[in-house]
């Protein structure tokens, strides 16, 4: 049995600040509490896990990542490049994910992407550096900054679960589009990462269950 993650106490100051300024957030926070602890390893290992887990269920993502880690230990870009197509297919990679994983690994091995240097960049510059790699879109880059680099003010407006949770939180008739998400998230600066973490928690919370049966996003 996988133990339940503990509430992430690091988010408490940000969540209390958000609750003070937003009555809807305050009510949901009283109901659901802090999000569980969650982080991602920085570097190639964290990014390739994110790529492997896209557009599949949580259970499938865990299985794929588990098989990958069995084959490549430690999980490095150079080690990943030693896997052939049959290896990746057996692990569970689709053809597009094989290609994107290889492109990412090649960018890192060649030095064209300074994966360690991202930690010293501003958010926009780090996202731009990541999205120059084919197969890494804004969503993956933002999730990497949020979970692997621990940036405090990331707002992944294209995340479906986040949009659904915001619709529920604000009792909106329609799911907010990108423009609306940017507007709705603006008052939550500079704690939008905490807001996103909480809203994903709300989306999956047993008392809300917005995410029941939906494929994995973040």
């Amino acid at each position: 049995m996988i133990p339940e993650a503990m509430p992430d106490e690091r988010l408490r100051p940000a969540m209390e600040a958000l609750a003070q300024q937003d009555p809807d957030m305050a009510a949901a926070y009283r109901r659901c509490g802090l999000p569980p602890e969650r982080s991602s390893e920085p570097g190639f290992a964290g990014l390739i896990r994110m790529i492997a887990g896209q557009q599949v269920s949580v259970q499938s993502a865990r299985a794929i990542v588990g098989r990958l880690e069995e084959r490549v230990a430690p999980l490095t870009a150079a080690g990943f490049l030693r896997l052939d197509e049959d290896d990746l297919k057996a692990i569970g990679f689709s053809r597009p994910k094989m290609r994107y994983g290889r492109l990412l690994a090649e960018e890192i091995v060649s030095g064209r992407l300074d994966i360690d240097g991202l930690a010293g960049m501003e958010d926009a510059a780090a996202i731009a550096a990541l999205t120059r790699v084919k197969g890494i879109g804004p969503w993956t880059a933002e999730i990497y900054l949020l979970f692997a680099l621990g940036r405090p003010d990331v707002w992944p407006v294209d995340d479906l679960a986040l949009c659904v949770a915001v619709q529920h939180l604000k009792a909106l008739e329609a799911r907010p589009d990108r423009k609306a998400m940017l507007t709705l998230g603006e008052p939550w600066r500079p704690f939008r990462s905490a807001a996103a973490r909480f809203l994903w928690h709300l989306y999956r919370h047993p008392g809300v269950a917005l995410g029941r049966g939906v494929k994995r996003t973040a």
Side-chain angles (χ1 to χ4, degrees):
M1 180 180 293
I2 299 173
E4 289 187 18
M6 298 294 292
D8 195 337
E9 289 292 337
R10 297 170 299 178
L11 295 179
R12 188 176 295 279
M15 285 307 307
E16 290 180 351
L18 290 167
Q20 282 184 347
Q21 68 188 47
D22 187 320
D24 296 322
M25 190 73 79
Y29 181 41
R30 286 194 298 271
R31 181 181 184 186
C32 299
L34 287 169
E37 291 179 350
R38 183 180 168 189
S39 62
S40 180
E41 182 181 349
F44 174 78
L47 268 172
I48 196 64
R49 290 185 186 110
M50 291 176 188
I51 290 171
Q54 288 174 7
Q55 303 303 315
V56 296
S57 68
V58 173
Q59 293 79 9
S60 295
R62 286 175 179 164
I64 292 167
V65 169
R67 289 191 292 268
L68 177 60
E69 290 173 341
E70 287 176 1
R71 294 297 304 271
V72 186
L75 186 48
T76 63
F80 185 87
L81 288 173
R82 288 195 287 270
L83 299 175
D84 62 24
E85 185 174 319
D86 289 338
D87 292 329
L88 291 170
K89 184 177 179 180
I91 288 168
F93 275 69
S94 64
R95 287 192 179 278
K97 289 182 183 179
M98 290 182 200
R99 183 183 177 209
Y100 298 149
R102 287 189 177 281
L103 286 170
L104 172 62
E106 288 166 357
E107 289 289 309
I108 292 172
V109 168
S110 70
R112 291 189 294 270
L113 174 63
D114 180 6
I115 193 72
D116 295 328
L118 297 175
M121 296 181 182
E122 296 292 331
D123 290 355
I127 289 170
L130 284 168
T131 53
R132 280 196 291 269
V133 181
K134 188 172 180 61
I136 297 182
W139 179 86
T140 303
E142 289 164 347
I143 297 302
Y144 181 81
L145 264 63
L146 201 162
F147 286 109
L149 299 185
R151 299 295 173 89
D153 196 38
V154 178
W155 184 235
V157 295
D158 296 317
D159 187 273
L160 175 60
L162 200 57
C163 294
V164 172
V166 169
Q167 180 184 1
H168 175 83
L169 181 78
K170 294 298 181 181
L172 304 175
E173 290 187 5
R175 188 184 304 159
D177 60 14
R178 179 175 236 277
K179 183 178 179 181
M181 285 289 287
L182 287 168
T183 300
L184 289 162
E186 196 63 26
W188 296 332
R189 288 180 181 272
F191 305 116
R192 290 182 300 173
S193 292
R197 291 276 309 277
F198 175 75
L199 286 161
W200 282 319
H201 176 49
L202 176 71
Y203 177 80
R204 298 185 176 95
H205 196 273
V208 181
L210 301 173
R212 188 174 293 162
V214 177
K215 299 214 170 182
R216 181 178 184 267
T217 51

